[in-house]
Amino acid sequence: MMPWTLVILGMSGDLAKRQILPALYSLYVYYKSRNEQHPFIIIGAGYQNVTVDQIFLEAATYIHKPQQELLEELSALTIYCGLDFADDSSFITLAHEIFKQEKAYQYPGNRIFYCATYSQFFCNITKQLAAHGLIEKGDKNHRVVYEKPFGSDVTSAHHINQCIRNYLNDDQIYRIDHYLTKEIVNNIVLLRFANILFEPLWNNRFINHVHVLIGESIGIEGRGAFYDAHGALKDVFQSHLLQLVALVAMDCPASLSDDDSIRDSKAAILQRIRVVKGILGQYEGYRHEPGVATNSMTETFAAVELAIDNPRWQGVPFYVVTGKHLDHKATEIHLVFKSERTCLFGKTQEADPNILIIRVTHEEGFSLRLNAKKPYTRGTQGQTIPVLMDFCYRCLFGPETPKAYEILFREIIAGEQSIAVRWDEIEYQWSVVDEAKKMNFPLYSYKKGTRGPEQAECFMPSFVPTSFTST
Ligand code: BG6
């Protein structure tokens, strides 16, 4: 399949510098270690008038201990051209550059176009790529990747989807969510279905409620214009959070190795999600961020209660929370089991609930909170103490697992569709957001470096990410 022409549309943007180029650097190092010479060339295009050197200089600050020599090699395999995504004529220049580079390197024309742009350009970009002979419908070696968010509501997402399907078959389309390439996120399915322990308990008879949190200590990181037009509900909630909910709540797929089976199971859940209530927050100072409207009502924090209308989850609330500038960076899922009233030492008492904790960040892994006996107690109350049984990914397998965006490129190059989100999933995800938007949740202000608005505390049962606990 090698070699590939990787075309990054939006190369001068924030995502390219922070995630895409560092991922391509790691990918380059990986292919070099396997003695693959020139496995890919990069053609970047974007609004800004910048040079490859400038872009690489900034990107290098996001690369952990870069090797200068390899970085220079990669930079030499890269060209950049200015492009206005709304101007059809500028695609002529792009096409010319792509064909020229492919001829110079004697590349066969295997192309991956990565749209790291606003979704309002997805349709025109795809149309122009087809018009200039850069992609052909049905050619599996012509792939187009669409960054999230894919649209900004159900209607716009439909429009984009109908448009791109005129030029591409489904197996050439990658609507991506980088959470689906995180090692621990991929592990959720196996944890659930490869361990007989969990499946019998994974329902409303035994589970009291579920928390899903993506808390961030960073803010909007110079993405004011993008963020202000989207907010927490359309940014992280619509994509990563709902995908996590789907993976936790889905029924066992018909097959664990077939992408469509897992997507079928996820879609069945996403279709049954109902929004119960929610509250929003905005951190103090947000309205002074560059690119943000001074009277902005955009939320930087959202806590939403979801219900899943199926027999397994009837009556189990899913509390889904995300926020910027919080006092922690933690992505965690907590399945809180029902408390057991047990007869211990002749006395009936309620034990602390067992909790299964899935940590996507900070010591990625799982922990199971159980009740154990406190040392040196006998026959008295309060003799049990919650303890954690831990699986820490790094401790067992070492720290050198590839980052999400690197895996993403590897999988796209391998033609692996499982890391992409299927259209019906996206459609249901937007329906949930549209429903939440219609409910006009109240918006409160919160101080940076806190847990979000105070009002969020009474909104749901208390929840402490394990990165705060000493255990
Ligand atoms: C992105 C969002 O998709 O995910 C960002 O646009 C967010 O706002 C980021 O910061 C979080 O990803 P991760 O992998 O750092 O948890």
Side-chain angles (χ1 to χ4, degrees):
M1 283 289 237
M2 290 286 181
W4 285 88
T5 307
L6 305 183
V7 184
I8 313 298
L9 301 153
M11 173 102 141
S12 54
D14 181 73
L15 182 76
K17 287 174 216 156
R18 279 172 195 279
Q19 301 282 6
I20 296 178
L21 281 173
L24 291 180
Y25 168 79
S26 305
L27 196 64
Y28 188 67
V29 174
Y30 167 75
Y31 284 131
K32 287 292 276 197
S33 71
R34 295 163 51 118
N35 287 327
E36 308 233 17
Q37 293 303 317
H38 304 330
F40 54 80
I41 52 170
I42 303 174
I43 295 169
Y47 273 120
Q48 289 177 32
N49 195 6
V50 282
T51 63
V52 170
D53 284 351
Q54 284 168 325
I55 296 176
F56 269 76
L57 205 63
E58 275 191 66
T61 61
Y62 297 101
I63 300 175
H64 182 61
K65 295 192 185 154
Q67 296 176 49
Q68 203 50 37
E69 195 188 327
L70 292 180
L71 204 58
E72 278 164 20
E73 271 180 44
L74 186 60
S75 159
L77 293 173
T78 305
I79 63 152
Y80 177 82
C81 49
L83 179 77
D84 178 351
F85 301 114
D87 172 14
D88 298 355
S89 65
S90 60
F91 283 88
I92 299 173
T93 321
L94 177 69
H96 174 77
E97 286 300 339
I98 292 173
F99 292 133
K100 195 169 101 189
Q101 292 300 315
E102 285 178 345
K103 197 168 169 209
Y105 284 94
Q106 298 185 322
Y107 268 29
N110 297 332
R111 303 185 190 114
I112 293 173
F113 294 88
Y114 195 113
C115 300
T117 67
Y118 283 4
S119 64
Q120 72 215 52
F121 299 121
F122 289 174
C123 173
N124 194 46
I125 288 174
T126 316
K127 187 174 154 197
Q128 293 305 321
L129 297 180
H132 292 92
L134 292 166
I135 52 171
E136 197 173 316
K137 193 169 184 175
D139 186 336
K140 282 191 176 179
N141 293 337
H142 293 166
R143 301 172 190 168
V144 185
V145 185
Y146 301 93
E147 243 304 329
K148 61 141 273 287
F150 189 87
S152 59
D153 53 20
V154 170
T155 314
S156 58
H158 255 288
H159 170 76
I160 297 168
N161 203 50
Q162 274 176 351
C163 167
I164 64 174
R165 275 180 164 168
N166 289 326
Y167 310 105
L168 297 163
N169 285 342
D170 280 346
D171 58 7
Q172 297 173 271
I173 298 174
Y174 292 78
R175 304 172 202 85
I176 54 123
D177 180 327
H178 76 275
Y179 262 62
L180 297 184
T181 54
K182 292 192 186 241
E183 196 62 42
I184 290 299
V185 173
N186 275 315
N187 243 302
I188 295 174
V189 177
L190 286 180
L191 170 77
R192 292 190 52 194
F193 301 115
N195 294 298
I196 197 171
L197 273 186
F198 293 121
E199 187 54 9
L201 307 180
W202 211 272
N203 53 53
N204 56 4
R205 243 189 100 195
F206 297 99
I207 292 179
N208 192 61
H209 62 272
V210 179
H211 285 289
V212 186
L213 164 82
I214 298 183
E216 296 186 274
S217 49
I218 57 166
I220 55 172
E221 303 289 294
R223 297 188 304 156
F226 164 83
Y227 199 86
D228 209 37
H230 291 83
L233 286 175
K234 292 187 176 185
D235 182 28
V236 165
F237 173 83
Q238 185 270 342
S239 49
H240 313 325
L241 276 173
L242 289 180
Q243 280 291 323
L244 292 178
V245 170
L247 285 165
V248 167
M250 71 185 190
D251 285 338
C252 186
S255 152
L256 288 184
S257 51
D258 154 37
D259 304 340
D260 261 327
S261 300
I262 296 180
R263 289 153 148 200
D264 287 344
S265 292
K266 282 194 291 171
I269 288 294
L270 292 164
Q271 193 181 12
R272 282 184 178 72
I273 290 180
R274 184 164 46 80
V275 181
V276 179
K277 60 183 186 204
I279 74 163
L280 306 177
Q282 186 187 77
Y283 64 78
E284 287 176 9
Y286 171 73
R287 293 174 185 180
H288 302 300
E289 299 268 17
V292 170
T294 48
N295 59 352
S296 172
M297 295 296 281
T298 300
E299 74 287 351
T300 58
F301 173 96
V304 184
E305 180 182 331
L306 301 173
I308 297 173
D309 288 327
N310 72 8
R312 188 197 280 261
W313 295 112
Q314 205 73 53
V316 179
F318 279 66
Y319 299 103
V320 173
V321 182
T322 184
K324 298 276 186 198
H325 269 311
L326 301 185
D327 60 351
H328 57 269
K329 159 91 181 150
T331 298
E332 290 191 10
I333 301 164
H334 289 203
L335 286 109
V336 182
F337 288 85
K338 292 190 171 163
S339 299
E340 180 75 342
R341 284 186 72 74
T342 42
C343 186
L344 283 175
F345 303 102
K347 222 175 204 161
T348 303
Q349 45 183 266
E350 194 145 294
D352 279 315
N354 297 137
I355 308 180
L356 177 67
I357 299 158
I358 302 171
R359 283 186 310 277
V360 180
T361 52
H362 287 304
E363 296 300 9
E364 287 95 327
F366 320 129
S367 299
L368 185 57
R369 197 177 84 165
L370 301 169
N371 290 311
K373 183 182 158 299
K374 255 188 202 166
Y376 312 118
T377 55
R378 176 154 304 165
T380 53
Q381 251 187 340
Q383 58 219 324
T384 61
I385 181 168
V387 293
L388 289 183
M389 262 172 72
D390 261 328
F391 157 60
C392 147
Y393 201 87
R394 181 187 58 82
C395 317
L396 216 53
F397 302 121
E400 295 304 328
T401 53
K403 293 244 170 65
Y405 273 87
E406 184 190 340
I407 299 181
L408 201 117
F409 275 101
R410 282 199 206 181
E411 300 289 2
I412 296 167
I413 285 173
E416 183 59 62
Q417 278 277 337
S418 66
I419 46 103
V421 185
R422 208 170 57 188
W423 163 244
D424 53 348
E425 296 177 75
I426 299 241
E427 187 182 20
Y428 298 137
Q429 285 170 241
W430 277 123
S431 303
V432 176
V433 175
D434 286 358
E435 193 187 334
K437 283 279 184 192
K438 272 195 213 129
M439 291 167 85
N440 274 323
F441 303 145
L443 177 80
Y444 302 100
S445 172
Y446 64 96
K447 288 199 183 332
K448 287 182 186 175
T450 62
R451 297 271 166 94
E454 281 166 15
Q455 291 79 356
E457 280 169 29
C458 329
F459 180 80
M460 57 191 170
S462 81
F463 166 68
V464 183
T466 50
S467 35
F468 280 115
T469 62
S470 50
T471 33

